[in-house]
Amino acid sequence: MKKPLFVTLLFVVALMQLNAQDQKMNAFINALMAKMTVDEKVGQLNLITPGSDIPTGSVVSSNVEKKIAEGNVGGLFGVIGPDKVKQAQDIAVKQSRLKIPLLFGSDVIHGHKTIFPIPLGISCSWDTALIRYSASVAANEATADGLNWAFSPMVDIARDPRWGRVSEGSGEDPFLGSAIATAMVKGYQGKSLADKNTLLACVKHFALYGASEGGRDYNSVDMSKMKMFNEYLPPYKAAVDAGVATVMSSFNDVEGVPATGNKWLLTDLLRTKWGFKGMLVSDYTSIGEMVNHRQGDIAEVSIQAIKAGMDMDMVTEAYLGTLKKSLQQKKVAIADLDRACRLVLEAKYKLGLFDDPYRYIDAARAAKEVLSESNRTVARKIARESFVLLQSDYKTLPLKKSSSIALIGPLANDRSNMLGTWAVSGDPQKSVSVLEGMRNVGGNTLKIQYAKGANITDDPNLARQANVFGMRVEIDKRHPDEMLQEAVSLARQSDVVVAVVGEASEMSGEAASRSDITLPASEQKLLKALYATGKPVVVVIMSGRPLVLTGSIEGAAAVLQTWHAGIEAGNAIADVLLGDANPSGKLSMSFPYSVGQIPVYYSQKRTGRPIDPNNKFSTKYLDAPNEALFSFGHGLSYTNFVYSDFRLSSNQLSKQQSIQVEVTLTNSGKYDGAEVVQLYTLDKVRSVTPPEKELKGFQKIYLKAGESKKVSFTLTEEMLRFYNPSLQFVSEPGEFTVMVGGNSKDLLVRDIVLK
Ligand code: BGC
């Protein structure tokens, strides 16, 4: 299509303005760098934390104030709030020779003080507009509190739920993950970084961190380039394309070289091929950890990192201690140091810190806008949208507000686990428990009796590890049998049981891998006793990962997966249980049938011996199905959605001619509700073995009871491309299958030909 002349002109004018801005920035930074000593340049690369908040490694920094005054610090993290930030910024701009302002970072991961559901939960909303909005709310709060850099989004594709950090990402699929990565970056960074309520986003962990062997955190990673490009790299690339300002490297190695010092990854791919122009930061002590990776001593790994393209050194202070000498010894070129220093200064310039180093400190705005009622309302809405109804008998839920409910479980009257992992600035005591939420939403007619019923775990070792950041697992003084009996007797007196079980917040997250991801034994025992009462039992599961639920939920009338749902968890859960909202979440990560199946994900390949119950020598387990218990895309509703009139505008696709894919969605049930319509494709003959299904599009559609709507997608040739062994992004002519439906299993199917 030809662009009208005035559009082209507008584009040229915008480009000229951009160039002029860049030139102004370059001139400013050139002048500044001309004044800087080598020590001062190295100082800009130093990112440290005084450890006033949660350190995630064993090391925290010392003599922070002195280092700032001496120009040895480029940025801080873990310093939060108008007063503390001002205090530190004062030292930088009043006492250091060149008065260069500091960056202030933090792990703003799923909200700042208004804590949203954990990212894995948010991703199950499949609502990119809402996700983007949540990031803008987080940025608005964080910037009022003095911060200008969020270490988010975490976009690591993860297919092993033993890995605790699956909680921080968007699950198993590169297409959904990319859409969310884009939304988050745009939400944080807004229209301009210079605005007072936007901040630098930081996509992490580059790269492949989610594929650590055995799901054990910090473990090695090894995969083919084809798998990287097709399945693991797309969300990072999407963040770069969305203009992400900074990138954090990962702890793992990539093809045998630690990501933090991997030149192919950081420079050849990220900068040269993808065109990333921003700043790179290492993960917490990951430069120093290259010594453990057996890459050499601290001076050698620092050389390796800076030459690979790594700009900022988080916490190790390896650059600070070694780079000057390495320069003198000509082991590092001044050009490498200048590049890194320039990129740090550019980030500060783009934020407007050289105009006003205090621009992100706004106590008045913080008092008014942080954790405001309207932000809590957003948190409640996102939480409701993140819940996935895994199983339902279609008669127990929603609960009647006139019923009598036995609310049972170690997470039913709990605030300390609602926020989930990585809620650095969140206050658990400001969160709403399920018991409180049920009372708020249920009103006077609802009769609720509560009993704890069991401990989250009776295992003191697991409890101790879950309690590192505060009390999350409280082992009751009573004997477990006494607690169980109390719960069973309440259950017997009620119409229905709601059992709230799962993981404590710190049983997932960083350094929280588990080899057994079933519900803890104490909770399994509780559920069995509740089922035995014969009352309908609604199981509400809170967790930071897909758990293995086989054997624990068969007796349940309904199962609602709520993740760790954030500050409004209890209200949102009550909204859904009591029918004020209809669940609409769809899984972004499959729930395995058993741990032995892992990794299990929807986009697996067919193999040369596809599963065949009549063939012993087909690909299968003797003791478990091949399929997940609940697959990617799955999620039920109180209402019923029917797909019909699946039509394609043509069955021939070409580079010039796209196809319109159309389906009619009808809400044939009794409740208003939302459905995520999903589009998948299969390349039926390909030079390299294809996945059986790949997500290529989705739309979240709201329909009133009885309403119908035509939903359409445009399918283009480009959507059928993949990275071939030479890493060219190509499509191969031939037959494809196009599939549409409400999950990754039950799909309407049509074949097309790509010419
Ligand atoms: C984590 C990062 C985090 C950093 C700073 C590390 O341990 O891997 O995700 O941003 O700590 O807190």
Side-chain angles (χ1 to χ4, degrees), residues 289-311:
E289 289 170 25
M290 286 166 62
V291 175
N292 286 342
H293 280 289
R294 302 196 181 283
Q295 301 291 290
D297 65 20
I298 197 76
E300 285 163 337
V301 299
S302 303
I303 296 167
Q304 185 181 332
I306 196 154
K307 281 184 159 173
M310 177 51 63
D311 304 316

Side-chain angles (χ1 to χ4, degrees), residues 511-750:
S513 295
R514 295 174 64 203
S515 67
D516 174 1
I517 54 169
T518 53
L519 286 171
S522 53
E523 296 183 338
Q524 292 200 40
K525 194 169 166 198
L526 172 66
L527 289 181
K528 290 209 171 103
L530 294 173
Y531 300 148
T533 63
K535 298 284 178 171
V537 180
V538 174
V539 180
V540 173
I541 298 176
M542 295 182 181
S543 64
R545 54 158 63 80
L547 295 170
V548 169
L549 298 175
T550 311
S552 303
I553 54 165
E554 285 74 1
V559 181
L560 186 70
Q561 173 69 34
T562 64
W563 314 106
H564 292 121
I567 197 132
E568 284 287 322
N571 284 332
I573 290 171
D575 287 340
V576 168
L577 292 180
L578 294 167
D580 287 0
N582 188 350
S584 60
K586 300 277 186 177
L587 293 180
S588 60
M589 188 168 180
S590 302
F591 275 52
Y593 176 90
S594 63
V595 173
Q597 266 188 333
I598 295 171
V600 61
Y601 49 96
Y602 85 95
S603 57
Q604 279 174 346
K605 295 180 176 183
R606 188 162 61 159
T607 85
R609 294 184 177 194
I611 186 160
D612 173 357
N614 302 316
N615 179 2
K616 175 170 171 50
F617 297 100
S618 68
T619 183
K620 64 175 188 317
Y621 299 102
L622 294 179
D623 55 356
N626 284 4
E627 293 207 335
L629 184 63
F630 300 110
S631 279
F632 177 82
H634 170 78
L636 306 174
S637 165
Y638 295 157
T639 195
N640 185 43
F641 290 103
V642 178
Y643 288 75
S644 63
D645 297 328
F646 180 29
R647 291 209 181 105
L648 306 178
S649 60
S650 162
N651 58 5
Q652 309 257 322
L653 179 65
S654 67
K655 282 204 168 128
Q656 297 75 31
Q657 196 66 50
S658 60
I659 292 181
Q660 283 304 116
V661 179
E662 213 173 79
V663 70
T664 302
L665 180 72
T666 304
N667 178 349
S668 67
K670 286 193 303 210
Y671 299 89
D672 301 347
E675 167 76 334
V676 179
V677 180
Q678 302 161 38
L679 172 76
Y680 297 88
T681 61
L682 159 68
D683 194 340
K684 290 177 82 173
V685 179
R686 202 168 90 169
S687 58
V688 285
T689 53
E692 278 298 275
K693 275 165 204 162
E694 286 177 281
L695 184 71
K696 298 291 176 173
F698 60 89
Q699 288 178 45
K700 190 160 184 176
I701 307 288
Y702 293 82
L703 290 182
K704 295 213 169 301
E707 207 185 344
S708 287
K709 192 176 176 187
K710 268 200 186 115
V711 181
S712 60
F713 296 92
T714 304
L715 187 70
T716 64
E717 173 272 335
E718 205 180 340
M719 288 158 74
L720 301 180
R721 292 188 195 172
F722 68 103
Y723 288 93
N724 69 13
S726 323
L727 301 182
Q728 294 155 321
F729 194 51
V730 294
S731 63
E732 291 179 354
E735 267 192 49
F736 287 77
T737 305
V738 180
M739 294 161 269
V740 171
N743 61 60
S744 62
K745 275 167 76 180
D746 308 307
L747 296 159
L748 300 172
V749 175
R750 289 268 189 292

Side-chain angles (χ1 to χ4, degrees), residues 56 77 107 151 165 204-205 248 251 283-284 422 510:
T56 50
F77 69 105
D107 287 283
F151 299 148
R165 301 198 80 171
K204 68 188 191 186
H205 306 83
M248 187 187 294
F251 288 123
D283 202 349
Y284 205 111
W422 278 119
E510 186 171 349

Side-chain angles (χ1 to χ4, degrees), residues 171-186:
E172 72 186 47
D173 182 66
F175 184 87
L176 178 61
S178 299
I180 294 175
T182 305
M184 297 284 290
V185 170
K186 293 195 167 158

Side-chain angles (χ1 to χ4, degrees), residues 151-203:
F151 299 148
S152 169
M154 188 279 220
V155 305
D156 305 320
I157 293 295
R159 293 171 175 180
D160 191 331
R162 289 172 299 181
W163 189 49
R165 301 198 80 171
V166 302
S167 51
E168 295 173 56
S170 298
E172 72 186 47
D173 182 66
F175 184 87
L176 178 61
S178 299
I180 294 175
T182 305
M184 297 284 290
V185 170
K186 293 195 167 158
Y188 286 131
Q189 297 191 171
K191 285 205 188 79
S192 163
L193 285 175
D195 290 342
K196 284 186 176 176
N197 57 357
T198 58
L199 39 62
L200 306 168
C202 181
V203 69

Side-chain angles (χ1 to χ4, degrees), residues 298-338:
I298 197 76
E300 285 163 337
V301 299
S302 303
I303 296 167
Q304 185 181 332
I306 196 154
K307 281 184 159 173
M310 177 51 63
D311 304 316
M312 264 196 140
D313 169 2
M314 190 194 291
V315 178
T316 307
E317 305 199 46
Y319 282 179
L320 198 68
T322 67
L323 276 189
K324 189 176 180 186
K325 192 161 170 213
S326 300
L327 267 164
Q328 285 159 355
Q329 293 172 340
K330 306 225 173 329
K331 291 180 178 162
V332 167
I334 188 73
D336 286 318
L337 176 61
D338 282 350

